[in-house]
Amino acid sequence: MGRFDDKVVLITGAGGGIGGATGRRFAAEGARVAVLDRDLAAAERTAAAIVGAGGRALAVCADITQRSEVDAAVATTVTQLGAIDVLVNNAGWDVFAPFLKTQPAQWERLIAINLTGALHLHHAVLPGMVERKAGGRIVNIASDAARVGSSGEAVYAACKGGLVAFSKTIAREHARHGITCNVVCPGPTDTALFADYKQGAGNPEKLEEAFRRSIPLGRIGQPEDLPGAILFFASDDAAYVTGQVLSVSGGLTMNG
């Protein structure tokens, strides 16, 4: 038996990177996985990989900045897979530039994707969790930028910091319903987002080497390094853990 047999898991930004790795891991442990991404082809690739490995998955296309699309995606998931037991908010986007070189239109998009999008998912999924009284689990993927800051990511860091504070509040408001809400903060991880970050810095190889030297474990994180922490928070082993923030960064940040 798997830890997540008969559980339905909805993951945003699951077309690749951390979201894709997490979806595959949930499915390997018995979950039925809704692979949500704004890129339908990417979502279908992840879902196909899960099905090809013997799991069950549904590709769902939605722009999380649009509430109507989020509501439709949640409804489709419930209809085809069942009531949602676990929500993983993983989708994200960034602009890599000093704050004074960014523009309000960029701030608005950063906030829409990294913060408002997650609010939409909570608002759409939480009522069902509350009604079912079955111990729902929410895991939000923030960033170590939220904990310690990150040059060139001011608004992104602000959004992720907001997501941390929001998660703690949701944890308090819904503890009486048996719902937990926790946060995983990745450090530098080899994803498309990190590739964009390196390009924005102008010297990708030099930047990656600088990160590698600063990480005590001596390497850049891989998407497969994250699912263990995410699945822990979603599992019965973490039934008495809520409102917590866990860094998965190879030791780059060690703040309490």
Side-chain angles (χ1 to χ4, degrees):
M1 290 186 61
R3 282 189 295 176
F4 297 97
D5 286 351
D6 300 320
K7 300 292 187 183
V8 175
V9 180
L10 173 62
I11 307 171
T12 69
I18 294 169
T22 301
R24 293 189 294 273
R25 179 73 173 274
F26 267 115
E29 298 203 27
R32 303 190 296 274
V33 181
V35 179
L36 190 154
D37 203 287
R38 65 177 302 192
D39 182 342
L40 179 59
E44 288 176 336
R45 285 193 295 271
T46 297
I50 289 171
V51 172
R56 186 173 176 188
L58 171 70
V60 184
C61 184
D63 180 346
I64 63 170
T65 69
Q66 302 301 312
R67 179 57 190 269
S68 61
E69 294 189 26
V70 169
D71 287 341
V74 169
T76 297
T77 299
V78 172
T79 297
Q80 297 198 31
L81 297 182
I84 297 167
D85 300 289
V86 179
L87 169 64
V88 179
N89 282 296
N90 167 74
W93 178 72
D94 202 358
V95 171
F96 303 101
F99 177 65
L100 292 181
K101 293 186 178 180
T102 61
Q103 300 299 321
Q106 293 171 322
W107 311 342
E108 291 170 7
R109 182 159 176 74
L110 283 161
I111 294 168
I113 294 173
N114 295 301
L115 184 56
T116 308
L119 303 190
H120 285 323
L121 266 299
H122 283 81
H123 210 251
V125 172
L126 266 170
M129 289 183 172
V130 170
E131 183 178 353
R132 293 176 64 222
K133 300 178 182 177
R137 301 282 183 262
I138 299 173
V139 185
N140 291 321
I141 312 305
S143 168
D144 265 359
R147 300 172 62 247
V148 299
S150 178
S151 297
E153 298 182 275
V155 180
Y156 177 82
C159 293
K160 294 300 189 178
L163 185 59
V164 169
F166 174 77
S167 299
K168 291 176 179 288
T169 301
I170 292 299
R172 291 184 182 278
E173 290 184 353
H174 291 285
R176 63 192 177 95
H177 300 122
I179 297 167
T180 67
C181 183
N182 292 287
V183 182
V184 172
C185 286
T189 306
D190 188 15
T191 63
L193 194 66
F194 185 57
D196 288 345
Y197 177 80
K198 291 187 293 182
Q199 291 298 326
N203 195 332
E205 294 78 13
K206 184 176 180 180
L207 179 63
E208 182 166 344
E209 180 58 28
F211 270 122
R212 186 177 289 109
R213 288 197 305 268
S214 66
I215 295 171
L217 288 180
R219 64 176 177 85
I220 302 297
Q222 296 298 312
E224 291 74 17
D225 289 318
L226 276 298
I230 296 167
L231 269 70
F232 165 69
F233 278 141
S235 73
D236 289 342
D237 289 335
Y240 198 57
V241 180
T242 195
Q244 301 304 309
V245 181
L246 175 62
S247 172
V248 182
S249 65
L252 178 63
T253 59
M254 296 189 182
N255 291 11

